[in-house]
Amino acid sequence: MRSFLFVPADSEKKLSKAASCGADALILDLEDSVALSAKDTARTAAAAYLKTADRTGPKLVVRINALDTPFWEKDLEAVIPAKPDMIVVPKTLSGDCVKKVGEHIDKLGGGEEIGIGCVATETAASLFTLGTYGGSHPRLSFLTWGAEDLAAALGARDNKDEQGLYTGPYQLARTLTLLGAVAAGVQPVDGVWKDFRDEKGLEAEARAAARDGFTGKMAIHPAQVAIINEVFTPSDSDLAHARAVVEAFEKAGDVGVVALDGVMLDIPHLKQARALLARAER
Ligand code: COA
Ligand code: MG
C-alpha cells in the first residue's frame, strides 16, 4: 500500500469524497482530527461507513484513540464487527501496545486478517523502544511516525529548521521507525506532509523517503494521493534496471560480483533488485 489517506470520521462530507481519491487505503480517524465532543459521532459514522462501503475499493483502516484514553476499547467494540482491514494505534509506546490491541481484537472475534499499524514515535519514551515491535503480535502490518505529537511532547517551538527540514529529534524518529519496521518485518510508512498546498515539498519528502526504504506515505488531503502513488510505484526505468541486474547475475553463473555499465554489483544489489521486482508484482 502506497498511500494512506486520513479522513476525519466525524465529517460526512470528507467520508463521502474519500473513496474516489485514489488512495490505496483510507484511515477513518477517531483520534486527533476529531474533537472530544464528537468522539461518539465519529465512532458510529466509521462503523456505518465500513458496513456500507464498496469493499472492492481502497482498504479501510480505522485509527482508534490512544491506549491511555477512555475511548480505545469502545472504538474497537464499535468497528471490529464491521470488519475493517486494519486498525491504526496512535502513540504506541512499544510492541506491548500491539500485543494488547491484537489480543483485544481476538477477544472481540475479529478475523486474523485484521492488521495493526502503529504511529510509533509520538512520545519521548516511544523512541527508545522501536526495536521491540518484531514478534509483538501476528497482526502487526506497518509502522509509521509522527512529528507533531512528538514536538508537543518535547515542548518544542518547532520541528523544522529555517530551511524547512526536520531537526535532529524528528530525523531520529523517522530513521528509527524505518529501522524498527524493517527489523520487525513489516511495512515502513512515512508520516504526513502537513502543508497540503505545497505539492513540490510533498514530492521531495516522498522521494527522500522512498530512497531510504519507506514503501508508502500518509496523506491528509486528496491532492496528495496521486503524488504519493506516483513516487512509491517503481518506475519503468527502476524495473528495467532491476531486471538487468538479475540478468547480469544469471548470465555470470555462480558468482558473487558482476559489473554492469561500469558499476560493481554484488549480492546486496541482487537482493535489492529482486525485492523491487517482487514488490512490483504484488
Ligand atoms: N478526506 C476526504 N476529503 C477531504 C479531505 C480528506 N482528508 N480533505 C479535504 N477533503 C475534501 C474537502 O471536504 C473538500 O471537498 P469539496 O470540494 O466537496 O468542498 C475538498 O476535499 C478540498 O478540500 P480543501 O478545501 O482544499 O481543504 P479543507 O480546507 O476542506 O480541508 C483539512 C483541509 C486539512 C482540514 C482537511 O484536508 C483534513 O481534514 N485532513 C485530514 C486531517 C486529519 O485527519 N488529521 C489527522 C492525521 S495527521
Ligand atoms: Mg496526532
Side-chain angles (χ1 to χ4, degrees), residues 5-8 11 13-15 17-18 21 27 29 32-33 63 148 192 194 196-197 219-222:
L5 175 63
F6 274 108
V7 188
S11 169
K13 186 172 156 195
K14 289 173 194 165
L15 282 175
K17 283 200 81 139
C21 295
I27 305 183
D29 190 24
D32 278 352
S33 71
R63 180 165 76 169
E148 305 311 315
V192 302
K194 270 190 318 181
F196 58 85
R197 304 273 183 240
I220 50 158
H221 190 281

Side-chain angles (χ1 to χ4, degrees), residues 36 39 41 46 50 55 67-68 72 81 83-84 92 109 131 136-137 145-146 150 169 199 239 257 263 267 275 277 282:
L36 277 184
K39 294 292 183 194
T41 315
L50 287 167
R55 300 306 288 267
L67 303 188
D68 62 352
W72 72 275
K83 302 190 177 11
T92 52
S136 56
H137 196 282
W145 71 287
L150 181 57
E199 299 189 349
L239 292 173
V257 63
V263 177
I267 300 302
L277 293 172
R282 257 182 263 146

Side-chain angles (χ1 to χ4, degrees), residues 61-166:
V61 180
V62 177
R63 180 165 76 169
I64 60 171
N65 286 280
L67 303 188
D68 62 352
T69 69
F71 304 122
W72 72 275
E73 287 166 295
K74 275 193 216 159
D75 293 344
L76 287 179
E77 280 156 29
V79 301
I80 291 301
K83 302 190 177 11
D85 292 296
M86 209 184 282
I87 294 295
V88 169
V89 189
K91 300 181 179 66
T92 52
L93 301 174
S94 71
D96 286 348
C97 295
V98 183
K99 186 165 182 275
K100 188 166 172 178
V101 173
E103 288 175 354
H104 204 77
I105 298 174
D106 297 343
K107 210 173 88 187
L108 294 169
E112 63 183 23
E113 66 287 352
I114 301 177
I116 294 178
C118 297
V119 194
T121 66
E122 298 190 291
T123 72
S126 301
L127 265 67
F128 294 94
T129 56
L130 277 151
T132 65
Y133 285 84
S136 56
H137 196 282
R139 295 186 188 277
L140 184 67
S141 306
F142 75 78
L143 296 186
T144 190
W145 71 287
E148 305 311 315
D149 284 274
L150 181 57
L154 298 182
R157 293 190 182 166
D158 203 348
N159 49 28
K160 290 190 170 173
D161 65 15
E162 295 73 17
Q163 280 82 47
L165 299 173
Y166 280 117

Side-chain angles (χ1 to χ4, degrees), residues 234-251 258-278 280:
S235 69
D236 290 346
S237 71
D238 292 340
L239 292 173
H241 180 259
R243 277 188 217 104
V245 171
V246 172
E247 259 171 42
F249 272 93
E250 280 169 1
K251 268 196 202 141
V258 297
L260 180 67
D261 302 331
V263 177
M264 184 279 289
L265 299 170
D266 63 1
I267 300 302
H269 304 105
L270 178 60
K271 276 190 199 160
Q272 255 172 328
R274 283 190 177 139
L276 187 80
L277 293 172

